[in-house]
Amino acid sequence: MGLYMKKIVLSIIILICFILVNLFKFNTTYFLIAIFVIELIRLLIRKFKVKLDYFIIILFISVFNALILNLSTAISLLLIYDFLDQILEILDKSLHKYLKNYVKNDYIASFFENNKEVLKKFSTLKKKDILIYKKGEILTTSGKYNDNYYEIGTIVDEDIFLESDKDYKELIDSKSLKAYNSLQKTIRKPTLVSYIVLLLLSTIIFFILIYYKYELNIALFYTFNFMLIFLPITFFYSKNIPLLFSIAYLYKERININNINTFFKVNKVDVIVFDKTSVLTDDNISIVNIDNQSDINLVQLIKTLEQNTYDEIGKFFRKQEYDYLFKIDKSKKLNGGMIINSKEDEYYLGNYDFFKHNKIKVKKNKTLGTAIYVVKNNIFLGSVVIKSSINKEVKDIVKYLEKINKEVVVLSGDNEEYVRYICNTLDIKRYSYNINKKDKLSFLLLSKEEGTKVLFIGDYRNDKKLFKEAFLSCAISKKETEADITIDNNDLTDIKRLFITYKAYKVSFILNIFLTILITIFKLLLLYLGILSLEVSLLITLINILIIIFVSIEVLMFK
């Protein structure tokens, strides 16, 4: 028999004893005192092991009822609280278990299938499936691999393949689920202080009633009802339940937030800044033009010069099927490009403005796209133009953001023609081009001074400093980051989901508070009419909590 079942059975036995004592009128007082003491000790032992919460109020009311008013009412309150507490405990654990399953059921892993990487849901996972672990992911299924990091990107010989023969539940409980579990524990609950404040207010009301010549039992009855009517638990549940559902939904969609405050800051954002790389455009890069001014294979040369870089362009060229021409002795990265040294040769690699700034003459390539120019020992070797596919879903996201009065801005280091083309395609009206990281940083710092709250969305690897200066930062990354929000599935519609989820939370919270206030007024009306007993007040509190959960499910899970 499980622990929960044992507690429920014991509560039922005490309830039956209480009913029999009242029914057959056995030496009632002694039996009632025995039942009261047993139930009180049971609850004290149970609550001191966990948390006193609102039991401190029930304890106060029950003891005073037993000593001054009515022993049967005191026992009834303890029994109702006993069942209410167990129902809430089961409900709470079931809710958390459901939310945890809700989060992890859609968790996605990298698999090796038909000699290429594919992403699959854990629900499709089978024995002997080969999982791929990459840089930034800590292996949790085998202590042998813990804390190892592997390069992110396309599958190469150095990638690690793990034939999974462990319990997959352990595997599922990594990353998103662990982050969700730790985050939901930080959600505020009613503190002991809130209950002490309620006790003090009730004491004041009691003395006011005594001052106006109310009889002691009447004054106590109204004071106790005041306590039960204004229990903080329902007001906290009004906020906490929809908050739990909201965060679970975000983690299910693999939108990871670093703390609860981040979720509430979403609604305060005025301006959303998009970086071009990995946001407006995806990683599907292709070469659209090669302007070769020499006999050197430009693509092979750029691959060689990019061999130590880790941005999207570097990754693209390193995938090209050529061998490296030489080893690099040293390289220096600057705004818009870099200088590379190999033996006696010095290479310049970068965009048009990089060469203009360094006063090196190159022939401008007017092909639409990102142009990369190469110079060796002050001799122009040519240029290669690459182009990324535009993320068409951004257009719908921009439209939605403007609809909810959020201004959209694009900051890009790319050339004017290409940035204008992308922004016109996506209906983005405000954009800047040919700007470096210092310019982006200046924009964020100026916005901060002016009180404009900016959400910066970009590639975390390229713009770590910018993420720290923004009011709110969102990284598009499969690795763990220090950004406020991390979207690790490259689904940009998650940006829209983030705002929709907050809106749904707000609707649910307002509805819950409204219904809780209505129920509180209903209790006060019953008290005024003289038909509200202490037992009924507690039962109405339970109904209120169930309504809160139902409303939260309806609004958030089926939005």
Side-chain angles (χ1 to χ4, degrees):
M1 191 184 290
L3 183 63
Y4 283 127
M5 191 55 68
K6 284 179 182 177
K7 287 195 289 187
I8 291 169
V9 168
L10 191 54
S11 298
I12 291 169
I13 290 169
I14 293 172
L15 176 63
I16 291 168
C17 290
F18 176 60
I19 292 168
L20 290 173
V21 166
N22 280 289
L23 195 63
F24 295 104
K25 305 291 180 184
F26 299 124
N27 206 345
T28 311
T29 305
Y30 293 110
F31 275 108
L32 287 178
I33 290 170
I35 292 169
F36 176 77
V37 171
I38 291 167
E39 183 66 7
L40 190 63
I41 292 169
R42 273 188 70 234
L43 290 172
L44 280 169
I45 292 169
R46 193 165 86 209
K47 296 313 292 183
F48 270 110
K49 281 183 179 178
V50 189
K51 192 179 178 183
L52 279 174
D53 61 49
Y54 65 102
F55 178 61
I56 191 171
I57 303 293
I58 306 299
L59 179 66
F60 183 84
I61 295 171
S62 299
V63 170
F64 268 88
N65 261 284
L67 293 174
I68 299 171
L69 298 178
N70 190 305
L71 192 57
S72 290
T73 301
I75 296 170
S76 298
L77 282 172
L78 288 179
L79 288 169
I80 291 170
Y81 170 80
D82 188 1
F83 283 104
L84 173 60
D85 186 60
Q86 288 185 63
I87 289 168
L88 288 178
E89 193 177 341
I90 293 168
L91 200 62
D92 192 51
K93 288 194 178 291
S94 301
L95 183 64
H96 280 89
K97 186 178 178 182
Y98 171 72
L99 290 177
K100 285 175 183 178
N101 287 326
Y102 181 69
V103 169
K104 71 186 180 185
N105 282 345
D106 216 21
Y107 186 72
I108 298 172
S110 299
F111 284 78
F112 186 63
E113 191 176 272
N114 300 326
N115 294 318
K116 65 178 182 178
E117 181 189 10
V118 293
L119 295 176
K120 285 185 176 181
K121 292 181 181 179
F122 268 111
S123 55
T124 65
L125 209 126
K126 299 172 187 173
K127 285 265 184 177
K128 301 299 179 186
D129 276 343
I130 300 176
L131 304 179
I132 305 164
Y133 289 87
K134 297 178 180 179
K135 187 175 181 181
E137 292 186 340
I138 300 173
L139 305 189
T140 57
T141 55
S142 169
K144 181 180 174 183
Y145 293 109
N146 271 345
D147 298 320
N148 279 282
Y149 294 83
Y150 305 101
E151 184 175 357
I152 191 165
T154 53
I155 296 170
V156 293
D157 293 338
E158 291 81 15
D159 279 328
I160 295 298
F161 303 104
L162 176 70
E163 284 197 34
S164 306
D165 54 1
K166 298 284 182 182
D167 182 358
Y168 287 115
K169 286 182 181 178
E170 183 184 351
L171 194 63
I172 289 166
D173 283 342
S174 63
K175 211 171 179 181
S176 284
L177 182 54
K178 283 185 177 178
Y180 164 74
N181 286 341
S182 61
L183 192 64
Q184 60 93 4
K185 287 175 185 175
T186 66
I187 295 174
R188 284 187 63 202
K189 294 175 183 176
T191 60
L192 199 58
V193 175
S194 64
Y195 295 113
I196 292 170
V197 168
L198 181 60
L199 279 172
L200 290 173
L201 286 172
S202 303
T203 305
I204 292 167
I205 287 171
F206 171 74
F207 282 113
I208 290 170
L209 292 171
I210 292 294
Y211 177 78
Y212 282 103
K213 311 295 183 187
Y214 279 82
E215 291 181 14
L216 179 64
N217 60 338
I218 301 296
L220 283 173
F221 176 77
Y222 280 109
T223 302
F224 294 155
N225 262 302
F226 175 83
M227 289 181 186
L228 292 178
I229 288 169
F230 292 100
L231 273 176
I233 187 170
T234 50
F235 292 96
F236 273 83
Y237 265 60
S238 296
K239 180 182 178 182
N240 290 355
I241 298 296
L243 189 56
L244 274 173
F245 277 111
S246 300
I247 291 167
Y249 175 77
L250 292 178
Y251 273 89
K252 174 183 163 59
E253 296 297 331
R254 301 183 76 186
I255 307 168
N256 304 333
I257 59 175
N258 62 352
N259 60 56
I260 297 295
N261 288 335
T262 295
F263 181 69
F264 291 110
K265 284 168 76 175
V266 167
N267 192 50
K268 297 176 182 177
V269 168
D270 304 309
V271 177
I272 295 155
V273 173
F274 286 114
D275 193 17
K276 180 182 74 68
T277 308
S278 298
V279 181
L280 302 186
T281 57
D282 58 27
D283 298 338
N284 186 18
I285 303 172
S286 59
I287 296 170
V288 292
N289 181 265
I290 300 174
D291 181 15
N292 206 330
Q293 302 290 317
S294 67
D295 295 332
I296 296 174
N297 184 326
L298 276 181
V299 175
Q300 187 177 15
L301 177 59
I302 293 174
K303 174 179 178 173
T304 303
L305 298 175
E306 293 271 12
Q307 63 185 274
N308 294 330
T309 61
Y310 293 94
D311 58 15
E312 295 304 313
I313 293 173
K315 279 170 59 181
F316 168 74
F317 280 102
R318 286 201 309 279
K319 284 195 285 185
Q320 304 307 308
E321 295 178 354
Y322 297 107
D323 296 325
Y324 293 134
L325 295 170
F326 49 81
K327 285 188 176 181
I328 292 172
D329 295 329
K330 65 175 183 177
S331 62
K332 185 179 180 182
K333 196 158 187 178
L334 301 167
N335 285 324
M338 58 182 176
I339 303 170
I340 303 107
N341 295 98
S342 177
K343 295 180 181 179
E344 302 298 321
D345 298 320
E346 184 176 63
Y347 294 86
Y348 280 71
L349 181 75
N351 60 29
Y352 186 78
D353 278 356
F354 171 71
F355 288 95
K356 191 177 178 181
H357 177 75
N358 286 285
K359 297 178 181 177
I360 299 172
K361 213 169 185 182
V362 295
K363 180 187 173 185
K364 190 169 185 179
N365 193 323
K366 294 184 179 180
T367 307
L368 192 66
T370 302
I372 301 161
Y373 300 86
V374 187
V375 167
K376 175 185 177 183
N377 301 328
N378 287 321
I379 299 171
F380 177 53
L381 300 181
S383 61
V384 174
V385 179
I386 59 174
K387 200 174 178 182
S388 304
S389 299
I390 297 175
N391 285 322
K392 295 292 176 66
E393 65 265 30
V394 174
K395 191 170 185 176
D396 179 56
I397 296 165
V398 170
K399 190 177 178 181
Y400 173 78
L401 293 173
E402 287 177 344
K403 185 180 175 182
I404 60 171
N405 298 318
K406 308 294 180 188
E407 187 179 8
V408 177
V409 178
V410 171
L411 302 179
S412 175
D414 228 316
N415 62 77
E416 180 182 355
E417 292 81 8
Y418 191 33
V419 175
R420 183 184 288 118
Y421 164 73
I422 291 169
C423 291
N424 286 343
T425 304
L426 298 173
D427 289 340
I428 298 172
K429 300 173 185 68
R430 188 180 169 190
Y431 53 87
S432 295
Y433 45 83
N434 288 335
I435 63 171
N436 55 41
K437 289 183 182 178
K438 285 184 179 178
D439 296 326
K440 293 178 183 179
L441 186 60
S442 297
F443 176 88
L444 293 175
L445 291 172
L446 184 62
S447 297
K448 192 185 286 186
E449 283 179 18
E450 293 173 347
T452 304
K453 296 176 175 63
V454 174
L455 167 60
F456 182 80
I457 303 170
D459 187 339
Y460 186 75
R461 291 164 297 182
N462 299 333
D463 300 307
K464 287 184 182 179
K465 287 183 181 178
L466 302 178
F467 279 79
K468 291 179 181 177
E469 293 300 332
F471 171 75
L472 210 57
S473 58
C474 176
I476 311 295
S477 174
K478 288 188 178 181
K479 295 194 294 180
E480 291 181 9
T481 73
E482 292 180 8
D484 298 312
I485 304 158
T486 304
I487 296 172
D488 72 346
N489 60 357
N490 290 331
D491 185 359
L492 289 174
T493 53
D494 284 343
I495 297 162
K496 181 179 175 181
R497 285 192 189 101
L498 187 63
F499 286 92
I500 290 173
T501 303
Y502 181 83
K503 184 181 176 183
Y505 157 77
K506 199 171 178 182
V507 169
S508 178
F509 171 60
I510 291 168
L511 270 174
N512 287 337
I513 286 290
F514 176 72
L515 290 169
T516 300
I517 291 169
L518 276 184
I519 290 169
T520 303
I521 293 168
F522 175 67
K523 280 184 179 182
L524 289 169
L525 181 63
L526 292 180
L527 181 62
Y528 175 76
L529 295 172
I531 53 176
L532 181 69
S533 66
L534 298 176
E535 299 96 315
V536 170
S537 186
L538 256 183
L539 287 171
I540 294 173
T541 299
L542 173 61
I543 293 166
N544 191 356
I545 290 168
L546 292 173
I547 289 170
I548 287 167
I549 292 170
F550 175 75
V551 169
S552 300
I553 291 171
E554 281 295 307
V555 175
L556 281 153
M557 306 303 272
F558 304 104
K559 60 183 182 294

